Amino acid sequence: APVSLLSRFRGALAAAVLGDCVGGEFEGAEEVPLDRVLQHLSGLEDETRGDGILQYSDDTAMMRCVAQSLLTRMGFDEQDMARSFAKEYSLAPGRGYGSGVIQVLRKLASPHLNDVFQPARAQFGGRGSFGNGGAMRAAPFALAFRNVADVMRYARCGAMLTHSCSLGYNGAVLQALAVYLSLQGDLAIPQKFISKLISEMEEMENDETAHNDAKVLKLAEFPYCARLHRVKELMEQNSVSIEEVILKLGNGIAALESVPTAIFCVLHCLEPREGLPEHYGGLERTIAYSLALGGDTDTIACMAGAIAGAHYGIDVIPQSWLKCCEGAEEAEQLANRLYKLYSIMQTEG
Ligand code: R7I
Ligand code: MG
Ligand code: MG
């Protein structure tokens, strides 16, 4: 049966939280044997584990702020979103935030701040952060706006509240775009999906600031497009090793080293793969595969989860897995509310 749009909305946010919660176990691990991943995941089926035993991290905390702010303001309001991030951080500073972004979040709490984008611009010697913190929370933008230009524009602005380097905010744009296309059912034709991502990112990266950042950081001229072309090449290969994925796409905390990787995880797991249990569906494969890459596992699984969840919908996510994740239920509720907002926008044109 076709997957309803509401099911896709709920799947996107719930699977993002799932990825964050189950990925926390391996964050920063260099190599994660598949056996350990599968053991970790099958442990979630144990009834005695109790509700919400796996805590969410900064990825989910900030994604919730984005969704909440888009809902209460019925659109993007930078002041409100900035305040929401700052408040969330002050209430729960121990969620594993990046070491740089903490300074931004502290400054955003100041009542005397006029320009909410200024603290982000002061990061890392004035170039801004290229971390994946903008991308990890970008999914709700794809659920809040009808057309692709708005999704991209506001995902960019929302990321710039903490990540002013083009590598940081363009990673967020790419992640929001991937979720958006997945919601539309575009993953049914993977080649079309990746080609659309490349053509949109060609436009995003055709920009003086982006070219300059790429040059300073000694990257290809169109860094995201270059990575997406590698994703395409890996898709065309008969077999791909974990080592090759890490080498060609990365698994690190930089947005460039993780957003294209998350996209690859989803595409690679559309089909059954050797080493992954036969009873796993695509969503379960995507989560397991993301963890097996090691590195920034919570964030890569969170981003891959959002894209995959938007494709498969909520109904195929194992209930036992969701039950173990703190905040999974709230994510579904936020998705329900975003769906309502989306429906209103649709009728009003
Ligand atoms: O990007 P950010 O919010 O971190 C997100 C990550 C996710 O994995 C979360 O799960 C959490 O664990 O953290 O936080 P930032 O502090 O902006 O960036 C993360 C890290 O990337 C920084 O602490 C730096 O180590 C590195 N980094 C940079 N290093 C040098 N120069 C980011 N930008 C730069 C840079 O310009
Ligand atoms: Mg985290
Ligand atoms: Mg992380």
Side-chain angles (χ1 to χ4, degrees):
V3 185
S4 75
L5 190 59
L6 176 59
S7 175
R8 291 175 185 273
F9 270 52
R10 293 167 63 187
L13 297 198
V17 174
L18 172 69
D20 180 18
C21 288
V22 302
E25 173 84 4
F26 305 111
E27 192 182 19
E30 234 171 76
E31 254 176 82
V32 187
L34 201 49
D35 281 1
R36 275 194 63 205
V37 171
L38 299 180
Q39 209 172 27
H40 180 49
L41 292 172
S42 68
L44 306 180
E45 274 141 45
D46 182 349
E47 301 280 333
T48 62
R49 295 275 314 259
D51 290 352
I53 192 156
L54 299 174
Q55 291 186 340
Y56 65 73
S57 78
D58 58 328
D59 303 48
T60 298
M62 294 193 93
M63 187 180 83
R64 287 162 64 127
C65 293
V66 170
Q68 279 287 357
S69 177
L70 292 170
L71 282 164
T72 52
R73 305 303 301 152
M74 292 177 73
F76 180 67
D77 175 340
E78 66 254 28
Q79 303 283 339
D80 184 74
M81 200 173 282
R83 242 178 281 126
S84 170
F85 290 153
K87 187 170 175 209
E88 168 60 35
Y89 174 70
S90 73
L91 291 173
R95 293 267 185 198
Y97 287 87
S99 55
V101 77
I102 289 170
Q103 297 173 52
V104 180
L105 297 172
R106 289 205 183 111
K107 290 181 190 170
L108 288 177
S110 163
H112 306 296
L113 189 70
N114 290 317
D115 179 3
V116 289
F117 295 102
Q118 189 279 324
R121 283 198 298 267
Q123 293 295 96
F124 298 100
R127 202 195 43 249
S129 171
F130 54 58
N132 55 20
M136 73 190 183
R137 62 176 191 251
F141 288 102
L143 281 59
F145 300 99
R146 267 198 81 193
N147 68 67
V148 70
D150 284 343
V151 170
M152 293 171 79
R153 176 183 314 131
Y154 295 120
R156 183 173 184 269
C157 290
M160 286 175 92
L161 290 168
T162 51
H163 291 68
S164 79
C165 174
S166 62
L167 276 307
Y169 60 71
N170 278 340
V173 170
L174 175 57
Q175 169 64 11
L177 185 62
V179 174
Y180 179 85
L181 294 181
S182 180
L183 287 171
Q184 312 292 315
D186 281 15
L187 273 170
I189 307 170
Q191 288 302 330
K192 198 173 115 190
F193 178 83
I194 193 79
S195 298
K196 273 196 195 175
L197 290 181
I198 291 172
S199 70
E200 293 288 353
M201 290 311 289
E202 268 168 1
E203 233 172 280
M204 288 303 299
E205 292 193 305
N206 189 16
D207 160 278
E208 206 181 315
T209 310
H211 289 325
N212 197 48
D213 286 340
K215 207 170 175 181
V216 173
L217 294 166
K218 298 190 168 67
L219 300 165
E221 202 181 3
F222 288 75
Y224 280 100
C225 292
R227 294 275 161 143
L228 290 169
H229 279 291
R230 288 189 197 168
V231 170
K232 210 172 167 178
E233 283 160 25
L234 290 172
M235 281 165 73
E236 283 156 9
Q237 269 174 230
N238 288 328
S239 80
V240 187
S241 71
I242 297 272
E243 292 74 26
E244 197 173 359
V245 176
I246 298 170
L247 188 72
K248 293 197 170 152
L249 301 177
N251 63 359
I253 209 166
L256 185 65
E257 303 265 309
S258 48
V259 183
T261 310
I263 291 167
F264 176 75
C265 289
V266 180
L267 290 165
H268 185 70
C269 294
L270 288 168
E271 288 165 35
R273 293 291 170 184
E274 213 187 294
L276 293 173
E278 271 174 40
H279 70 271
Y280 271 17
L283 190 286
E284 293 136 292
R285 287 195 294 269
T286 304
I287 296 290
Y289 189 77
S290 305
L291 303 196
L293 293 181
D296 195 358
T297 47
D298 67 333
T299 305
I300 294 173
C302 171
M303 297 190 294
I307 303 164
H311 176 63
Y312 299 108
I314 188 75
D315 297 330
V316 301
I317 310 177
Q319 276 301 322
S320 58
W321 289 18
L322 288 177
K323 264 191 82 171
C324 292
C325 300
E326 179 196 13
E329 249 180 73
E330 288 88 341
E332 281 191 55
Q333 284 157 12
L334 286 168
N336 288 338
R337 291 170 59 199
L338 283 164
Y339 181 77
K340 269 188 202 148
L341 179 67
Y342 184 93
S343 308
I344 295 167
M345 286 189 304
Q346 208 155 20
T347 51
E348 285 176 1

